[in-house]
Amino acid sequence: MRDLYHEELDGLSDKLVEMTRLVRSAMARAVTALLDADLRLSEEVISADEHVNKIDAEIEETVFDLMARQQPVAGDLRTLITALRMSGDLERMGDLAVHIAKTARRRHPEPAVPPELQATVLEMGQIAERMIAKTGSVIAARDVEMGLELDEDDNAMDRLHRKLFDVLLSPKWKHGVEPAVDITLAGRYFERFADHAVHVAENVVYMVTGQRPAEIVDS
């Protein structure tokens, strides 16, 4: 029975890693759709989100079932609680990729991103992909050191987010209000995506060490 219990715990990690893979694919396609005004890709991202939601629901069901049957304590309890939190963050990251795809769909057949911001948005997408890829590695390997690194990627995303606003607020902006709103929202989606990746990594650190990242850095 205990072997089955630990197999179920390990299965949670496998499902979380699968969620990171799906979310990474969603973000990559959403960014391409946004930059290329690709309606087909937008629709693919939107419809594929159902799979992410399904895994999130499965993780929640498993966690509650194990807590009821096994009454876990100490490290096992931390594993279950953090799995629930991480699943929620990853589900919301999938939703943010969908929001980006919907922005592309709403503006189709015109591109949602004007030429002078294409490079910045592309870089934001690349950072988002890098962060979710690292997140998957952190979960799979329970890599505390890599988990602590995601703050730097988040800082890079925040810098690009501010750069977007510099362009939008410039007197040289000539694309009107509606594109400015789209870019503002897209920038916020990228910024929140990065924040959720950091939250996932922080929960892995807590799961492994029993400490919050700030406690480790300060010690």
Side-chain angles (χ1 to χ4, degrees), residues 34-127:
L34 187 69
L35 295 175
D36 296 347
D38 191 321
L39 183 60
R40 179 185 60 83
L41 274 182
S42 297
E43 297 292 358
E44 286 181 6
V45 173
I46 294 164
S47 61
D49 190 52
E50 182 179 346
H51 193 184
V52 176
N53 295 339
K54 181 175 180 289
I55 299 176
D56 177 48
E58 290 173 354
I59 288 173
E60 181 177 305
E61 183 178 351
T62 300
V63 168
F64 290 151
D65 179 63
L66 290 175
M67 291 179 72
R69 287 192 292 109
Q70 301 292 341
Q71 297 181 340
V73 296
D76 287 350
L77 182 59
R78 273 205 316 273
T79 296
L80 291 174
I81 296 300
T82 53
L84 201 57
R85 290 174 177 169
M86 288 187 279
S87 179
D89 275 312
L90 291 168
E91 189 273 333
R92 285 186 284 276
M93 291 170 81
D95 288 345
L96 290 164
V98 168
H99 291 331
I100 291 170
K102 285 182 176 179
T103 300
R105 185 177 68 176
R106 184 169 61 252
R107 297 292 293 164
H108 185 269
E110 298 299 321
V113 182
E116 62 264 43
L117 283 174
Q118 290 249 337
T120 301
V121 170
L122 176 61
E123 190 175 356
M124 293 178 86
Q126 290 170 339
I127 292 174

Side-chain angles (χ1 to χ4, degrees), residues 1-9 70-72 76:
M1 290 294 291
R2 298 301 293 179
D3 288 342
L4 178 59
Y5 168 52
H6 286 290
E7 284 178 13
E8 289 177 297
L9 285 177
Q70 301 292 341
Q71 297 181 340
D76 287 350

Side-chain angles (χ1 to χ4, degrees), residues 13 16-17 19-21 23 86 89-90 93 127-143 146-147 150 153 193-202 204:
S13 179
L16 288 166
V17 172
M19 287 183 80
T20 67
R21 187 189 68 78
V23 169
M86 288 187 279
D89 275 312
L90 291 168
M93 291 170 81
I127 292 174
E129 281 191 65
R130 183 166 70 242
M131 291 185 76
I132 189 60
K134 282 186 180 180
T135 300
S137 298
V138 168
I139 294 170
R142 299 192 173 195
D143 190 329
M146 185 183 291
L150 264 77
D153 292 313
F193 188 95
D195 287 345
H196 284 299
V198 171
H199 292 164
V200 173
E202 288 175 344
V204 174

